[in-house]
Structures are given as C-alpha cells and as structure tokens.
Amino acid sequence: IATLCGKAHGVGVGSGTDAVTMALQSLGIGDGDEVIVPECTWIASASPITYVGAKPVFCDIEKESWCISPESILDAITDKTRAVIVVDLFGNMPDMSRISEICSDKGILLIEDAAEAFMSKINNKFLGTFGEIGCFSFSPPKIFFDKKNF
C-alpha cells in the first residue's frame, strides 16, 4: 500500500480504529489536546481521540459530500486544537486542497481516515496521502474506488 500510494512506509494493524489510534499516538496527541472530526462519521473515527485522552470537537459536514466542511473546521479551531481528522465517506471526498491549506496555515496536523475511499484520487493524488498520516481499512463494507470515476 505504501508503494502504491507513493509513500516510504506503511504499517498493517488490526482495524481502522487501531490505525487512527496509533496515528494520534505517533503524533503525540493526548491529554488536553483537541481534535476536530466530522459529526457524520462512524464511532471508529472519533473514539480513538478519547482513547488517547484528547477531546473530540465535532464539526458540520457539507450537504453534497457528507464530508467535513472546511469552514466548520475554521470555526472550531482553538488554541488547544492539535489535529483534524478528515473522513472520506461513502466514496465521497472532502475538499482536501482547502483543508490541507487550513491545517498548514494554522500549524495543525492532518490525519486522513480514508477507509471508505481507498484508491480514490483528487488531482491525481491518492486520498490518504494529503496529511501526516493516512488510515485505511479493508473490512467487507469498504468502498475501494472513487464512485465519481467508476
């Protein structure tokens, strides 16, 4: 997967929940930190935030994509915000260009829960490769393509 996505490293774990938890741990996120996450997601995207002692901050989604709204991210940022977790949902993708820009400008870490859009691309770049860490999952209900290009 790392080679396919053009990355140097990949780590296999038991579940997407494990992947998100380990992503947060490896980035040093913990007690007193806030992590922005979309309100429309599966528990596995949000519960790892509490597992590491941080606080989930839920944000609005965009009506068209069901993915986190960049404007709601901007509204939710505080001095305790350490990361944003974006979730690709139902083969839909958030506005990664804008979200990457926000995170870069604000010095916030970006984690991608790309479990439902494996092999999807934006501007010829795979989802899961925009942030510091991309997380994938391969359980049976996952979507392995970009529905717009299928």
Side-chain angles (χ1 to χ4, degrees):
I1 302 247
T3 300
L4 181 66
C5 291
K7 295 295 182 176
H9 305 285
V11 176
V13 296
S15 68
T17 305
D18 290 346
V20 174
T21 302
M22 292 174 72
L24 293 164
Q25 289 171 326
S26 70
L27 294 171
I29 295 170
D31 291 338
D33 295 331
E34 293 179 354
V35 178
I36 295 171
V37 65
E39 65 185 1
C40 181
T41 190
W42 181 246
I43 190 71
S45 302
S47 59
I49 299 167
T50 62
Y51 295 164
V52 301
K55 175 185 173 187
V57 176
F58 295 98
C59 285
D60 289 334
I61 59 168
E62 294 183 320
K63 180 178 160 183
E64 303 78 29
S65 69
W66 292 68
C67 295
I68 196 166
S69 160
E71 287 69 35
S72 70
I73 292 171
L74 280 170
D75 292 341
I77 294 172
T78 71
D79 60 343
K80 294 181 179 184
T81 304
R82 289 280 319 281
V84 172
I85 298 176
V86 297
V87 180
D88 308 314
L89 200 57
F90 312 126
N92 294 316
M93 301 163 274
D95 183 348
M96 290 308 298
S97 296
R98 181 71 179 119
I99 294 169
S100 295
E101 178 184 301
I102 291 168
C103 289
S104 178
D105 289 349
K106 301 290 185 180
I108 297 170
L109 301 165
L110 177 57
I111 299 168
E112 292 178 77
D113 180 343
E116 289 200 14
F118 181 67
M119 297 299 299
S120 295
K121 292 182 179 180
I122 297 174
N123 297 327
N124 213 26
K125 185 173 180 174
F126 284 112
L127 291 176
T129 65
F130 284 85
E132 279 67 38
I133 297 177
C135 303
F136 301 100
S137 176
F138 301 105
S139 64
K142 301 303 181 199
I143 297 169
F144 290 94
F145 58 87
D146 171 359
K147 74 176 187 175
K148 294 175 186 147
N149 296 319
F150 182 68

